[in-house]
Amino acid sequence: MRFSRAAIMLMFTALISVGVSSAQWRSTSGSPLPLPAAGARGEIRSTGLIEDGGSFIHITRTTPPDENVSLNDSRLVSELPTSNTSPMTDNNPAAIIFATFNGHQSSINQTSPFGVYYSGSNWRIYNEDTGANFGEGAAFNVQVQGKSDNIFVHTASALNISDHITDIDHPLTNGNPSAIVIVTPRWEGVYNNQHIGVYYNGNGWSIFNQNTAVNMPVGAKFNVQVLFANDTDFVHTTTGGNTTGNVTTLDHPTLNGNSGAQFIVTQHYGAYNNNPIGLIYDGPSERWRIGNTNSAPLPIGTNFNVHITNS
């Protein structure tokens, strides 16, 4: 059964009024964040083209005939030029893919840690929690890249793991505290059901589990992108002035007033934030926000590396 946007908004308001937790995460300040714009199927389809640097929005679907979900994974679909396909990722095992949950374009929430993997002839997004199945309407900003000097796969090994941390050894990260490091987990047989982040360890960059009590597993893999501060790449830090409850507001000329912008985010240690994160656009202020999708308060001093993939 499909509902109009007005009907969905009415149901969402009713859920809040009786104290029921909605699938759409919202600010802990009490003001519900806006529901995503609804298309014919209730989702926003990709606006990205191959020429746009390989960025698009993926929507999970469980409804035939074009479902893309199988339990805890979802086959990537960019839908250009043909519906229910992904010409940038299909039959492309060499792709290096980055993803961030886009709550603004979603009709359901996402709280499980997730990553990407290749199976058969398709790339997929998967939940690290194998018991957490995808539902209809979770949206992800996706960027498709190829291996290059600044884009590579890091593997956690006995030689580079220390407890919950794995150290990256790369010419662009070693001795470079100003690097902007973007990371997405990549499954090749080893799960790491943890929220992750990156930090500069004094000599180079490391990937770490936000839960410091959980050791990094040998064999865990990560897609890594090393960038440098410019018009599309920057570090956002939560402060008392830009953070309320579980959300922090971004202020960037490319993102402000641009609800269709697509960007990828990685947590960067300044404070531990062992929570799932996602993106939301606040219509009244015309600003993008990063927030904890489980509504947990966002610690002051948390850093986020931001990479704008499609403006």
Side-chain angles (χ1 to χ4, degrees):
M1 180 180 296
R2 298 177 184 173
F3 299 94
S4 68
R5 176 173 172 78
I8 293 173
M9 184 64 77
L10 181 62
M11 287 187 293
F12 181 68
T13 304
L15 285 172
I16 294 175
S17 67
V18 297
V20 178
S21 177
S22 168
Q24 175 66 41
W25 54 284
R26 59 193 180 94
S27 169
T28 53
S29 65
S31 301
L33 295 170
L35 282 173
R41 289 180 48 88
E43 82 276 2
I44 298 299
R45 297 199 169 191
S46 169
T47 58
L49 301 172
I50 296 175
E51 291 77 17
D52 288 336
S55 62
F56 60 90
I57 295 176
H58 168 77
I59 308 287
T60 62
R61 297 194 191 123
T62 59
T63 308
D66 52 357
E67 68 271 24
N68 56 42
V69 168
S70 175
L71 299 177
N72 72 316
D73 74 70
S74 178
R75 174 175 49 83
L76 283 183
V77 173
S78 66
E79 305 190 276
L80 289 173
T82 304
S83 179
N84 210 30
T85 65
S86 182
M88 288 173 276
T89 60
D90 292 344
N91 300 300
N92 185 9
I96 297 182
I97 296 171
F98 302 87
T100 295
F101 176 62
N102 184 335
H104 179 60
Q105 304 287 17
S106 297
S107 57
I108 61 172
N109 201 7
Q110 172 71 24
T111 58
S112 173
F114 61 89
V116 298
Y117 80 105
Y118 191 77
S119 176
S121 58
N122 307 109
W123 279 95
R124 302 170 183 269
I125 288 181
Y126 73 96
N127 283 327
E128 295 274 10
D129 180 355
T130 58
N133 294 341
F134 280 116
E136 174 90 12
F140 298 86
N141 290 349
V142 176
Q143 184 188 29
V144 184
Q145 294 280 35
K147 186 177 181 180
S148 66
D149 289 344
N150 70 311
I151 299 169
F152 55 93
V153 178
H154 171 76
T155 302
S157 72
L159 298 177
N160 60 38
I161 290 176
S162 176
D163 299 326
H164 65 292
I165 299 165
T166 176
D167 296 329
I168 300 170
D169 183 9
H170 190 274
L172 291 181
T173 58
N174 296 343
N176 187 8
S178 63
I180 295 177
V181 181
I182 302 293
V183 174
T184 293
R186 172 190 182 112
W187 186 83
E188 290 186 16
V190 176
Y191 289 98
N192 181 41
N193 185 21
Q194 299 296 317
H195 305 297
I196 63 168
V198 298
Y199 81 104
Y200 189 74
N201 60 34
N203 298 304
W205 284 85
S206 300
I207 302 168
F208 69 96
N209 287 334
Q210 295 279 352
N211 184 347
T212 61
V214 177
N215 289 346
M216 183 69 66
V218 172
K221 292 181 179 290
F222 303 90
N223 291 343
V224 180
Q225 187 169 185
V226 184
L227 304 162
F228 304 92
N230 54 39
D231 290 342
T232 60
D233 307 303
F234 62 96
V235 179
H236 173 81
T237 301
T238 62
T239 67
N242 63 29
T243 304
T244 302
N246 66 316
V247 295
T248 182
T249 300
L250 302 179
D251 184 7
H252 190 276
T254 302
L255 300 178
N256 296 346
N258 185 0
S259 63
Q262 295 173 35
F263 54 104
I264 307 296
V265 173
T266 295
Q267 294 204 65
H268 167 181
Y269 175 75
Y272 285 106
N273 181 44
N274 185 25
N275 294 290
I277 62 170
L279 313 175
I280 198 78
Y281 186 77
D282 180 60
S285 66
E286 298 188 326
R287 294 291 187 270
W288 278 96
R289 295 170 171 175
I290 302 171
N292 288 335
T293 64
N294 60 1
S295 294
L298 190 57
I300 301 302
T302 302
N303 297 317
F304 296 96
N305 291 346
V306 180
H307 173 44
I308 302 172
T309 60
N310 188 347
S311 62

